[in-house]
Amino acid sequence: SDAKTWAFKTPDVQLSGHSPNSGQSVGLSPMIRLSFDQAIDPAHVLAQTTLMDRFDDPVELRFARPEELKKAKINVAKSDNGEVRTLYLQTKTQLDPNSHYTVNIAKGLSSKEGPRKTEAAQNFNFRTYRPFRFHKSYCGSCTAHSTFSLRFNNSIDRDAFEDSMVQISPKVEEVNFQVSGRYLYIRGWFNSGTTYTVQVSKKLKDLYGQNLNSKAEASFPVEAEPPQMFLEGGYFRVLDPVGAKETVVNTLNIKSF
């Protein structure tokens, strides 16, 4: 029979992970992580990688220094045979705030596992942080036991937060504040049928050291709790046949029944 031949090719090297994530807001000196699915030559990858600003002007990159990796709590691991698959880069100059950037890895990238080169560019984008501002308030079906939520566009600096930065009118007893990411949560003993006004001072800071661009204010109308009835011991109770033929029922917003 006639001989048969066919061709095949092994995969080229591909970007398997990166940071910042696409669309993520970061500081002005971000650590750029490039992870690949094959072993790489760091110098070759750096030569193939460019960072472009919104005007398509390049921003120079360099390898992240050991002290920078240590400060970022990054442990650079190598395989037993010394292979490197992840690269950390830094910009040589600070980036502009409130700007878009694109990381581009040019086609023609090769790995240390074979000579085949990539046939297309690989890229992702991110942006630097915006001016710090209040975004929106949330409460849902606002009742006396609800949590007031205020969302900001950047993550709040929890260490710099002070309770005195928030004013609530009318006054709330035993109020508690919690900062988590972009959110400020307010919990306390709220009164039904009352509208509370929350003001957040311009002294509030984000993780980038920026103060709030203007005082934030939000209103939270607290509705009355729906009528509720609670039976001690659960929804079903058996009375003692020789005891008193009565039980205790707790009610909320029910005057009589």
Side-chain angles (χ1 to χ4, degrees):
S1 61
D2 295 335
K4 295 182 179 180
T5 60
W6 67 92
F8 66 92
K9 54 187 177 182
T10 53
D12 55 6
V13 59
Q14 292 293 309
L15 188 67
S16 59
H18 61 78
S19 62
N21 297 320
S22 293
Q24 180 180 353
S25 292
V26 299
L28 306 185
S29 298
M31 183 84 69
I32 299 174
R33 175 183 60 86
L34 305 175
S35 297
F36 297 89
D37 60 1
Q38 297 180 30
I40 56 165
D41 175 0
H44 173 59
V45 174
L46 178 59
Q48 293 287 110
T49 303
T50 55
L51 177 63
M52 309 297 291
D53 66 15
R54 64 186 187 280
F55 302 112
D56 285 333
D57 291 327
V59 178
E60 287 190 274
L61 296 171
R62 59 171 174 79
F63 295 124
R65 300 187 179 101
E67 60 269 22
E68 294 169 331
L69 295 170
K70 183 178 180 180
K71 183 177 180 181
K73 299 180 180 180
I74 296 173
N75 182 25
V76 180
K78 293 183 180 180
S79 63
D80 294 338
N81 57 8
E83 289 183 347
V84 176
R85 295 192 175 210
T86 298
L87 186 62
Y88 293 92
L89 304 176
Q90 283 277 177
T91 58
K92 290 187 177 181
T93 57
Q94 279 200 340
L95 305 181
D96 295 325
N98 198 25
S99 299
H100 287 274
Y101 289 87
T102 300
V103 176
N104 185 75
I105 305 171
K107 68 177 182 179
L109 182 70
S110 60
S111 76
K112 299 185 74 173
E113 298 183 16
R116 188 176 172 214
K117 298 181 179 181
T118 55
E119 299 174 0
Q122 304 175 70
N123 55 68
F124 61 93
N125 60 76
F126 63 87
R127 65 170 301 130
T128 49
Y129 58 77
R130 300 175 176 88
F132 190 31
R133 64 179 185 272
F134 171 60
H135 179 64
K136 193 175 182 180
S137 62
Y138 304 86
C139 190
S141 180
C142 221
T143 65
H145 303 289
S146 294
T147 298
F148 297 169
S149 303
L150 291 88
R151 182 187 175 191
F152 298 81
N153 66 321
N154 296 333
S155 293
I156 304 167
D157 186 345
R158 183 166 51 187
D159 294 334
F161 175 79
E162 297 179 1
D163 292 356
S164 60
M165 295 176 181
V166 184
Q167 300 296 320
I168 305 174
S169 179
K171 187 177 179 180
V172 180
E173 299 297 333
E174 298 184 42
V175 68
N176 174 262
F177 302 105
Q178 179 186 356
V179 170
S180 179
R182 299 180 181 184
Y183 288 87
L184 170 62
Y185 298 107
I186 303 173
R187 299 178 178 89
W189 292 101
F190 305 118
N191 293 322
S192 299
T194 304
T195 296
Y196 290 90
T197 299
V198 176
Q199 293 183 334
V200 182
S201 166
K202 291 173 62 175
K203 293 181 180 180
L204 185 70
K205 289 182 178 291
D206 65 11
L207 284 179
Y208 309 111
Q210 299 183 113
N211 287 98
L212 202 58
N213 64 343
S214 62
K215 181 173 64 176
E217 182 172 310
S219 295
F220 298 90
V222 178
E223 303 171 359
E225 292 278 357
Q228 299 176 57
M229 184 169 64
F230 310 94
L231 180 65
E232 284 192 354
Y235 292 106
F236 182 80
R237 185 176 183 189
V238 178
L239 297 178
D240 186 343
V242 297
K245 295 178 174 57
E246 61 183 31
T247 188
V248 175
V249 176
N250 297 313
T251 64
L252 178 64
N253 290 337
I254 298 178
K255 293 183 179 181
S256 62
F257 59 92

